[in-house]
Amino acid sequence: MPEPEYVSRNRASWTLANAEYTDRAAREAWAREEIVWGHWRLPERELGVLPDVAGKDVVELGCGTAYFGAWLKRAGARRVVGVDLTPAQLDTARRMDEEFGLGLELVEANAEDVPLPDASFDLVLSEYGASIWCDPELWIREAARLLRPGGELVFMRGSTLRILCVPDEGPATDRLLLPQKGLYRTDWEEGDMSGTDFHPPTSELFAILRENGFELLDFRELYAPDDAVDHEYYVQPSAEWARKWPAEEIWRLRLRPRSS
Amino acid sequence: MADPNVEAWTRANADYTDARAEAAWAKDEVDWGIWHVPESELHALPDVTGKDVVELGCGTGYVGAWLKKLGAARVVGVDPTPAQLQTARRCNERFGLGLEFVEAFAEDVPLPDAAFDLAVSEYGASIWADPGRWIPEAARLLRPGGELVFLRNSTLAILCSPDEDLPTTETLQRPQFGMYRFQWPGEGVEYHLPHGEWIRLLRANGFEILDLIEIPAPADAETHERYDYVTAEWGRKWPAEEIWVARKEA
């Protein structure tokens, strides 16, 4: 499959973001002993949204510097493959993997077209990776292809409400600034960066997941805890906003056996 | 003292739903919500031919009437408001459709376990009954593999509704965190949950979620003559209503 035009812009933006932030943040993230979710670092032990990964084969789609895959390996996953399209982030991931000696595998690829065999994983994970940077019609089909029957897909993205309330610049407001129609794909520019992200509303995304054979097991809307403070690098959302409205959400799904 | 929802719906029936019931029963096509979007566009319902159906919070019973016309074997309408059931019974005699009606709250339905193939609620139990109690009742009433289909206001519409009796705005008027029970001025008690809470509640009661349909107002929709809490203009930009389709696991 030829690379869609937005991929090169997303790669350029993540190359820049890696130089500005994600490279220097990688070591602290990899060193973390506990799995946490999203801007507010909510502990998995409180959310309980992941399946038991002990002995499982995991692929992370849009892994960036692959800290989430590192956490899953430490939680007992047998094999963790990180897939990302940005060489700079994969360089950081490889350096960390050597430093921490966790034995992740890292593959440079677009999650819409992954050079890995069918039915070879028990868990597909994406935390602000393919879940927002790739076309859902394409990456969810790939996730279904990569999973063994009964395997699970867990991903995090921003909430639809947050997307509706975000102005061109600055954090989310309490106003609906965009109509819900047209959220599927957004081409954006901000300073030196430009890119494309994808945010089908809940019902549209759910329909794509069903069409690809997924059954919804759980859906968590995440709020900022009382003591949350604004993130040092990512502008949105403010902790104040996110205490009232869910800024982030986690979807958990299971691939139905092919026969049913 | 009477239940606040029974009081509110007794008044609403005298003001509006009684006078509108015959026209609603007379319709030959199923449509959904304040924009009257046809079922033929939304495909929310399973085939009801030969099925046993219970409508939870049936009001004047017109949705049940449509399902009976579509071929349902048995349709039982459950509602706590005697005035609305009276209207429903009058229409049922006039149209000769053979519905059954039971006066009860959807939180506690005096009907046997596993007696229905479809439980439906259109602005009935779906907003007027406590979800923590009526969803388990729906699960109890359904046979394994039976479906639950309900229409409610969107969470977004509720978040943007002012406390006063004014239409939905373009500003978030209240936090989503903790939203559950609502009492608008001069109205009954409503229940509105965020998507995540609905999904967890349905899953906890043994439902697989088959579909979530967010309904935009059609281009030619006009603001509803009575249910004007949301304008057609708002409803074209954001979904004011949504339908959930779930199946009780076998």
Side-chain angles (χ1 to χ4, degrees), chain A residues 87-127:
Chain A
Q89 289 204 299
L90 290 177
D91 282 347
T92 304
R94 280 195 192 96
R95 199 178 73 234
M96 289 301 114
D97 191 48
E98 274 189 25
E99 187 177 321
F100 287 87
L102 287 176
L104 268 61
E105 299 161 55
L106 297 159
V107 175
E108 185 188 327
N110 177 4
E112 295 162 347
D113 186 14
V114 180
L116 291 166
D118 297 0
S120 49
F121 294 94
D122 305 299
L123 174 65
V124 172
L125 186 113
S126 181
E127 184 234 27

mmCIF file of all heavy atoms in Angstrom, chain A residues 87-127:
data_model
loop_
_atom_site.group_PDB
_atom_site.id
_atom_site.type_symbol
_atom_site.label_atom_id
_atom_site.label_comp_id
_atom_site.label_asym_id
_atom_site.label_seq_id
_atom_site.Cartn_x
_atom_site.Cartn_y
_atom_site.Cartn_z
ATOM 1 N N PRO A 87 11.348 7.272 12.655
ATOM 2 C CA PRO A 87 12.659 6.699 13.011
ATOM 3 C C PRO A 87 13.268 7.337 14.251
ATOM 4 O O PRO A 87 13.872 6.632 15.073
ATOM 5 C CB PRO A 87 13.517 6.989 11.763
ATOM 6 C CG PRO A 87 12.526 7.097 10.647
ATOM 7 C CD PRO A 87 11.295 7.699 11.249
ATOM 8 N N ALA A 88 13.098 8.646 14.439
ATOM 9 C CA ALA A 88 13.707 9.304 15.596
ATOM 10 C C ALA A 88 13.150 8.722 16.895
ATOM 11 O O ALA A 88 13.896 8.490 17.860
ATOM 12 C CB ALA A 88 13.452 10.810 15.537
ATOM 13 N N GLN A 89 11.867 8.480 16.930
ATOM 14 C CA GLN A 89 11.284 7.914 18.149
ATOM 15 C C GLN A 89 11.738 6.472 18.353
ATOM 16 O O GLN A 89 11.991 6.049 19.483
ATOM 17 C CB GLN A 89 9.759 8.019 18.106
ATOM 18 C CG GLN A 89 9.296 9.470 18.261
ATOM 19 C CD GLN A 89 7.888 9.541 18.792
ATOM 20 O OE1 GLN A 89 6.959 9.061 18.169
ATOM 21 N NE2 GLN A 89 7.703 10.149 19.954
ATOM 22 N N LEU A 90 11.850 5.739 17.250
ATOM 23 C CA LEU A 90 12.326 4.353 17.374
ATOM 24 C C LEU A 90 13.786 4.310 17.823
ATOM 25 O O LEU A 90 14.176 3.404 18.572
ATOM 26 C CB LEU A 90 12.132 3.608 16.059
ATOM 27 C CG LEU A 90 10.674 3.316 15.691
ATOM 28 C CD1 LEU A 90 10.596 2.648 14.325
ATOM 29 C CD2 LEU A 90 10.000 2.433 16.741
ATOM 30 N N ASP A 91 14.597 5.297 17.390
ATOM 31 C CA ASP A 91 15.975 5.375 17.897
ATOM 32 C C ASP A 91 15.979 5.520 19.414
ATOM 33 O O ASP A 91 16.736 4.843 20.115
ATOM 34 C CB ASP A 91 16.704 6.601 17.300
ATOM 35 C CG ASP A 91 17.153 6.345 15.861
ATOM 36 O OD1 ASP A 91 17.119 5.180 15.422
ATOM 37 O OD2 ASP A 91 17.510 7.340 15.179
ATOM 38 N N THR A 92 15.159 6.435 19.888
ATOM 39 C CA THR A 92 15.037 6.622 21.342
ATOM 40 C C THR A 92 14.586 5.323 22.007
ATOM 41 O O THR A 92 15.145 4.898 23.022
ATOM 42 C CB THR A 92 14.029 7.744 21.657
ATOM 43 O OG1 THR A 92 14.448 8.934 20.983
ATOM 44 C CG2 THR A 92 13.932 7.998 23.147
ATOM 45 N N ALA A 93 13.583 4.683 21.409
ATOM 46 C CA ALA A 93 13.052 3.436 21.977
ATOM 47 C C ALA A 93 14.142 2.368 22.045
ATOM 48 O O ALA A 93 14.284 1.662 23.051
ATOM 49 C CB ALA A 93 11.867 2.943 21.139
ATOM 50 N N ARG A 94 14.958 2.261 20.981
ATOM 51 C CA ARG A 94 16.018 1.237 20.953
ATOM 52 C C ARG A 94 17.086 1.524 22.011
ATOM 53 O O ARG A 94 17.576 0.610 22.684
ATOM 54 C CB ARG A 94 16.678 1.192 19.570
ATOM 55 C CG ARG A 94 15.848 0.421 18.584
ATOM 56 C CD ARG A 94 16.581 0.035 17.305
ATOM 57 N NE ARG A 94 15.553 -0.436 16.374
ATOM 58 C CZ ARG A 94 14.993 0.333 15.443
ATOM 59 N NH1 ARG A 94 15.374 1.590 15.279
ATOM 60 N NH2 ARG A 94 14.039 -0.161 14.676
ATOM 61 N N ARG A 95 17.407 2.815 22.162
ATOM 62 C CA ARG A 95 18.404 3.184 23.180
ATOM 63 C C ARG A 95 17.888 2.800 24.573
ATOM 64 O O ARG A 95 18.608 2.231 25.396
ATOM 65 C CB ARG A 95 18.658 4.694 23.094
ATOM 66 C CG ARG A 95 19.941 5.143 23.746
ATOM 67 C CD ARG A 95 20.146 6.645 23.564
ATOM 68 N NE ARG A 95 19.246 7.416 24.395
ATOM 69 C CZ ARG A 95 18.419 8.370 23.950
ATOM 70 N NH1 ARG A 95 18.357 8.671 22.665
ATOM 71 N NH2 ARG A 95 17.637 9.031 24.782
ATOM 72 N N MET A 96 16.624 3.085 24.830
ATOM 73 C CA MET A 96 16.031 2.741 26.123
ATOM 74 C C MET A 96 15.986 1.222 26.314
ATOM 75 O O MET A 96 16.258 0.706 27.397
ATOM 76 C CB MET A 96 14.590 3.296 26.208
ATOM 77 C CG MET A 96 14.501 4.797 26.330
ATOM 78 S SD MET A 96 15.361 5.423 27.798
ATOM 79 C CE MET A 96 16.661 6.345 27.037
ATOM 80 N N ASP A 97 15.631 0.528 25.252
ATOM 81 C CA ASP A 97 15.514 -0.927 25.346
ATOM 82 C C ASP A 97 16.871 -1.553 25.706
ATOM 83 O O ASP A 97 16.933 -2.499 26.499
ATOM 84 C CB ASP A 97 14.984 -1.498 24.026
ATOM 85 C CG ASP A 97 14.591 -2.954 24.164
ATOM 86 O OD1 ASP A 97 13.882 -3.282 25.139
ATOM 87 O OD2 ASP A 97 15.007 -3.770 23.326
ATOM 88 N N GLU A 98 17.932 -0.994 25.135
ATOM 89 C CA GLU A 98 19.258 -1.499 25.506
ATOM 90 C C GLU A 98 19.590 -1.168 26.951
ATOM 91 O O GLU A 98 20.076 -1.997 27.700
ATOM 92 C CB GLU A 98 20.333 -0.907 24.591
ATOM 93 C CG GLU A 98 20.463 -1.731 23.339
ATOM 94 C CD GLU A 98 21.655 -1.326 22.485
ATOM 95 O OE1 GLU A 98 22.635 -0.773 23.029
ATOM 96 O OE2 GLU A 98 21.575 -1.555 21.274
ATOM 97 N N GLU A 99 19.284 0.074 27.313
ATOM 98 C CA GLU A 99 19.601 0.513 28.675
ATOM 99 C C GLU A 99 18.846 -0.334 29.719
ATOM 100 O O GLU A 99 19.412 -0.712 30.736
ATOM 101 C CB GLU A 99 19.237 1.997 28.820
ATOM 102 C CG GLU A 99 19.672 2.596 30.141
ATOM 103 C CD GLU A 99 19.362 4.082 30.220
ATOM 104 O OE1 GLU A 99 19.524 4.801 29.213
ATOM 105 O OE2 GLU A 99 18.925 4.518 31.307
ATOM 106 N N PHE A 100 17.563 -0.597 29.446
ATOM 107 C CA PHE A 100 16.751 -1.314 30.428
ATOM 108 C C PHE A 100 16.762 -2.827 30.211
ATOM 109 O O PHE A 100 16.252 -3.573 31.046
ATOM 110 C CB PHE A 100 15.310 -0.776 30.422
ATOM 111 C CG PHE A 100 15.185 0.592 31.051
ATOM 112 C CD1 PHE A 100 15.381 1.745 30.292
ATOM 113 C CD2 PHE A 100 14.893 0.739 32.401
ATOM 114 C CE1 PHE A 100 15.285 3.010 30.874
ATOM 115 C CE2 PHE A 100 14.787 1.995 32.990
ATOM 116 C CZ PHE A 100 14.993 3.139 32.221
ATOM 117 N N GLY A 101 17.296 -3.242 29.067
ATOM 118 C CA GLY A 101 17.417 -4.679 28.801
ATOM 119 C C GLY A 101 16.111 -5.448 28.824
ATOM 120 O O GLY A 101 16.030 -6.546 29.380
ATOM 121 N N LEU A 102 15.083 -4.888 28.222
ATOM 122 C CA LEU A 102 13.773 -5.550 28.275
ATOM 123 C C LEU A 102 13.482 -6.432 27.063
ATOM 124 O O LEU A 102 12.534 -7.216 27.085
ATOM 125 C CB LEU A 102 12.652 -4.512 28.433
ATOM 126 C CG LEU A 102 12.561 -3.880 29.827
ATOM 127 C CD1 LEU A 102 11.481 -2.805 29.859
ATOM 128 C CD2 LEU A 102 12.259 -4.936 30.888
ATOM 129 N N GLY A 103 14.264 -6.281 25.996
ATOM 130 C CA GLY A 103 14.080 -7.171 24.844
ATOM 131 C C GLY A 103 12.829 -6.922 24.016
ATOM 132 O O GLY A 103 12.189 -7.871 23.560
ATOM 133 N N LEU A 104 12.459 -5.658 23.841
ATOM 134 C CA LEU A 104 11.352 -5.352 22.929
ATOM 135 C C LEU A 104 11.826 -5.495 21.487
ATOM 136 O O LEU A 104 13.015 -5.375 21.195
ATOM 137 C CB LEU A 104 10.864 -3.902 23.151
ATOM 138 C CG LEU A 104 9.726 -3.700 24.143
ATOM 139 C CD1 LEU A 104 10.118 -4.175 25.522
ATOM 140 C CD2 LEU A 104 9.299 -2.235 24.178
ATOM 141 N N GLU A 105 10.881 -5.744 20.587
ATOM 142 C CA GLU A 105 11.187 -5.681 19.159
ATOM 143 C C GLU A 105 10.550 -4.412 18.617
ATOM 144 O O GLU A 105 9.427 -4.075 18.997
ATOM 145 C CB GLU A 105 10.583 -6.892 18.437
ATOM 146 C CG GLU A 105 11.141 -8.219 18.936
ATOM 147 C CD GLU A 105 10.220 -9.381 18.552
ATOM 148 O OE1 GLU A 105 9.920 -9.537 17.372
ATOM 149 O OE2 GLU A 105 9.795 -10.104 19.482
ATOM 150 N N LEU A 106 11.268 -3.700 17.734
ATOM 151 C CA LEU A 106 10.750 -2.425 17.235
ATOM 152 C C LEU A 106 10.741 -2.448 15.717
ATOM 153 O O LEU A 106 11.734 -2.826 15.092
ATOM 154 C CB LEU A 106 11.602 -1.275 17.785
ATOM 155 C CG LEU A 106 11.522 -1.198 19.317
ATOM 156 C CD1 LEU A 106 12.703 -0.453 19.917
ATOM 157 C CD2 LEU A 106 10.209 -0.564 19.775
ATOM 158 N N VAL A 107 9.620 -2.086 15.153
ATOM 159 C CA VAL A 107 9.426 -2.183 13.698
ATOM 160 C C VAL A 107 9.019 -0.817 13.165
ATOM 161 O O VAL A 107 8.062 -0.215 13.669
ATOM 162 C CB VAL A 107 8.304 -3.208 13.376
ATOM 163 C CG1 VAL A 107 8.000 -3.227 11.881
ATOM 164 C CG2 VAL A 107 8.685 -4.603 13.878
ATOM 165 N N GLU A 108 9.729 -0.340 12.150
ATOM 166 C CA GLU A 108 9.364 0.940 11.553
ATOM 167 C C GLU A 108 8.285 0.708 10.499
ATOM 168 O O GLU A 108 8.535 0.131 9.446
ATOM 169 C CB GLU A 108 10.586 1.615 10.919
ATOM 170 C CG GLU A 108 10.256 3.007 10.388
ATOM 171 C CD GLU A 108 11.414 3.613 9.583
ATOM 172 O OE1 GLU A 108 12.584 3.326 9.915
ATOM 173 O OE2 GLU A 108 11.135 4.356 8.632
ATOM 174 N N ALA A 109 7.076 1.128 10.816
ATOM 175 C CA ALA A 109 5.968 0.940 9.863
ATOM 176 C C ALA A 109 4.795 1.816 10.271
ATOM 177 O O ALA A 109 4.667 2.228 11.429
ATOM 178 C CB ALA A 109 5.529 -0.519 9.828
ATOM 179 N N ASN A 110 3.943 2.074 9.299
ATOM 180 C CA ASN A 110 2.675 2.751 9.530
ATOM 181 C C ASN A 110 1.677 1.711 10.046
ATOM 182 O O ASN A 110 1.543 0.635 9.460
ATOM 183 C CB ASN A 110 2.223 3.332 8.175
ATOM 184 C CG ASN A 110 0.883 4.015 8.240
ATOM 185 O OD1 ASN A 110 0.281 4.145 9.307
ATOM 186 N ND2 ASN A 110 0.413 4.459 7.093
ATOM 187 N N ALA A 111 0.968 2.011 11.114
ATOM 188 C CA ALA A 111 0.028 1.045 11.695
ATOM 189 C C ALA A 111 -1.138 0.731 10.760
ATOM 190 O O ALA A 111 -1.922 -0.182 11.027
ATOM 191 C CB ALA A 111 -0.500 1.564 13.031
ATOM 192 N N GLU A 112 -1.247 1.464 9.665
ATOM 193 C CA GLU A 112 -2.288 1.155 8.682
ATOM 194 C C GLU A 112 -1.855 0.006 7.764
ATOM 195 O O GLU A 112 -2.653 -0.474 6.961
ATOM 196 C CB GLU A 112 -2.578 2.408 7.845
ATOM 197 C CG GLU A 112 -3.168 3.543 8.681
ATOM 198 C CD GLU A 112 -3.068 4.897 8.002
ATOM 199 O OE1 GLU A 112 -2.331 5.013 7.003
ATOM 200 O OE2 GLU A 112 -3.734 5.832 8.472
ATOM 201 N N ASP A 113 -0.591 -0.380 7.851
ATOM 202 C CA ASP A 113 -0.055 -1.406 6.946
ATOM 203 C C ASP A 113 1.165 -2.020 7.625
ATOM 204 O O ASP A 113 2.291 -1.611 7.386
ATOM 205 C CB ASP A 113 0.321 -0.720 5.615
ATOM 206 C CG ASP A 113 0.739 -1.735 4.564
ATOM 207 O OD1 ASP A 113 0.493 -2.940 4.755
ATOM 208 O OD2 ASP A 113 1.325 -1.299 3.551
ATOM 209 N N VAL A 114 0.933 -2.990 8.476
ATOM 210 C CA VAL A 114 1.975 -3.503 9.370
ATOM 211 C C VAL A 114 2.603 -4.771 8.786
ATOM 212 O O VAL A 114 1.881 -5.727 8.486
ATOM 213 C CB VAL A 114 1.369 -3.807 10.768
ATOM 214 C CG1 VAL A 114 2.439 -4.331 11.716
ATOM 215 C CG2 VAL A 114 0.703 -2.567 11.349
ATOM 216 N N PRO A 115 3.928 -4.815 8.632
ATOM 217 C CA PRO A 115 4.575 -5.995 8.049
ATOM 218 C C PRO A 115 4.780 -7.111 9.074
ATOM 219 O O PRO A 115 5.905 -7.536 9.330
ATOM 220 C CB PRO A 115 5.924 -5.434 7.563
ATOM 221 C CG PRO A 115 6.221 -4.311 8.504
ATOM 222 C CD PRO A 115 4.891 -3.733 8.920
ATOM 223 N N LEU A 116 3.687 -7.547 9.660
ATOM 224 C CA LEU A 116 3.744 -8.648 10.628
ATOM 225 C C LEU A 116 2.631 -9.627 10.247
ATOM 226 O O LEU A 116 1.621 -9.227 9.665
ATOM 227 C CB LEU A 116 3.523 -8.124 12.057
ATOM 228 C CG LEU A 116 4.648 -7.257 12.639
ATOM 229 C CD1 LEU A 116 4.184 -6.525 13.895
ATOM 230 C CD2 LEU A 116 5.889 -8.116 12.950
ATOM 231 N N PRO A 117 2.814 -10.911 10.582
ATOM 232 C CA PRO A 117 1.852 -11.918 10.102
ATOM 233 C C PRO A 117 0.482 -11.856 10.797
ATOM 234 O O PRO A 117 0.360 -11.335 11.900
ATOM 235 C CB PRO A 117 2.551 -13.254 10.406
ATOM 236 C CG PRO A 117 3.620 -12.947 11.379
ATOM 237 C CD PRO A 117 3.973 -11.503 11.260
ATOM 238 N N ASP A 118 -0.510 -12.409 10.120
ATOM 239 C CA ASP A 118 -1.872 -12.506 10.653
ATOM 240 C C ASP A 118 -1.874 -13.290 11.970
ATOM 241 O O ASP A 118 -1.059 -14.190 12.160
ATOM 242 C CB ASP A 118 -2.782 -13.292 9.682
ATOM 243 C CG ASP A 118 -2.947 -12.614 8.333
ATOM 244 O OD1 ASP A 118 -2.368 -11.535 8.130
ATOM 245 O OD2 ASP A 118 -3.660 -13.183 7.484
ATOM 246 N N ALA A 119 -2.825 -12.988 12.810
ATOM 247 C CA ALA A 119 -3.139 -13.810 13.991
ATOM 248 C C ALA A 119 -1.899 -14.174 14.794
ATOM 249 O O ALA A 119 -1.684 -15.332 15.145
ATOM 250 C CB ALA A 119 -3.896 -15.079 13.556
ATOM 251 N N SER A 120 -1.069 -13.165 15.070
ATOM 252 C CA SER A 120 0.161 -13.478 15.795
ATOM 253 C C SER A 120 0.258 -12.783 17.152
ATOM 254 O O SER A 120 1.285 -12.870 17.804
ATOM 255 C CB SER A 120 1.379 -13.140 14.928
ATOM 256 O OG SER A 120 1.262 -11.856 14.381
ATOM 257 N N PHE A 121 -0.818 -12.124 17.575
ATOM 258 C CA PHE A 121 -0.776 -11.424 18.866
ATOM 259 C C PHE A 121 -2.042 -11.679 19.686
ATOM 260 O O PHE A 121 -3.109 -11.957 19.154
ATOM 261 C CB PHE A 121 -0.601 -9.918 18.638
ATOM 262 C CG PHE A 121 0.737 -9.584 18.025
ATOM 263 C CD1 PHE A 121 0.873 -9.467 16.641
ATOM 264 C CD2 PHE A 121 1.861 -9.442 18.818
ATOM 265 C CE1 PHE A 121 2.115 -9.194 16.071
ATOM 266 C CE2 PHE A 121 3.103 -9.178 18.260
ATOM 267 C CZ PHE A 121 3.232 -9.048 16.879
ATOM 268 N N ASP A 122 -1.867 -11.536 21.015
ATOM 269 C CA ASP A 122 -3.004 -11.678 21.938
ATOM 270 C C ASP A 122 -3.559 -10.326 22.357
ATOM 271 O O ASP A 122 -4.686 -10.233 22.844
ATOM 272 C CB ASP A 122 -2.549 -12.413 23.207
ATOM 273 C CG ASP A 122 -1.899 -13.739 22.877
ATOM 274 O OD1 ASP A 122 -2.592 -14.591 22.295
ATOM 275 O OD2 ASP A 122 -0.693 -13.908 23.169
ATOM 276 N N LEU A 123 -2.727 -9.278 22.222
ATOM 277 C CA LEU A 123 -3.160 -7.948 22.633
ATOM 278 C C LEU A 123 -2.584 -6.914 21.669
ATOM 279 O O LEU A 123 -1.381 -6.933 21.387
ATOM 280 C CB LEU A 123 -2.666 -7.647 24.058
ATOM 281 C CG LEU A 123 -2.906 -6.215 24.589
ATOM 282 C CD1 LEU A 123 -4.408 -5.928 24.741
ATOM 283 C CD2 LEU A 123 -2.203 -6.014 25.938
ATOM 284 N N VAL A 124 -3.462 -6.046 21.157
ATOM 285 C CA VAL A 124 -3.021 -4.866 20.414
ATOM 286 C C VAL A 124 -3.280 -3.671 21.307
ATOM 287 O O VAL A 124 -4.385 -3.510 21.842
ATOM 288 C CB VAL A 124 -3.787 -4.693 19.084
ATOM 289 C CG1 VAL A 124 -3.446 -3.352 18.441
ATOM 290 C CG2 VAL A 124 -3.471 -5.830 18.118
ATOM 291 N N LEU A 125 -2.253 -2.846 21.481
ATOM 292 C CA LEU A 125 -2.394 -1.699 22.348
ATOM 293 C C LEU A 125 -2.042 -0.430 21.597
ATOM 294 O O LEU A 125 -1.134 -0.422 20.765
ATOM 295 C CB LEU A 125 -1.461 -1.859 23.549
ATOM 296 C CG LEU A 125 -1.733 -0.725 24.533
ATOM 297 C CD1 LEU A 125 -2.329 -1.263 25.794
ATOM 298 C CD2 LEU A 125 -0.530 0.121 24.775
ATOM 299 N N SER A 126 -2.769 0.649 21.881
ATOM 300 C CA SER A 126 -2.370 1.939 21.340
ATOM 301 C C SER A 126 -2.771 3.040 22.311
ATOM 302 O O SER A 126 -3.933 3.189 22.662
ATOM 303 C CB SER A 126 -3.024 2.186 19.977
ATOM 304 O OG SER A 126 -2.595 3.441 19.486
ATOM 305 N N GLU A 127 -1.761 3.779 22.757
ATOM 306 C CA GLU A 127 -2.013 4.876 23.688
ATOM 307 C C GLU A 127 -1.616 6.150 22.957
ATOM 308 O O GLU A 127 -0.432 6.413 22.749
ATOM 309 C CB GLU A 127 -1.156 4.670 24.956
ATOM 310 C CG GLU A 127 -1.412 5.719 26.027
ATOM 311 C CD GLU A 127 -0.128 6.414 26.472
ATOM 312 O OE1 GLU A 127 0.831 6.500 25.688
ATOM 313 O OE2 GLU A 127 -0.100 6.878 27.626
#
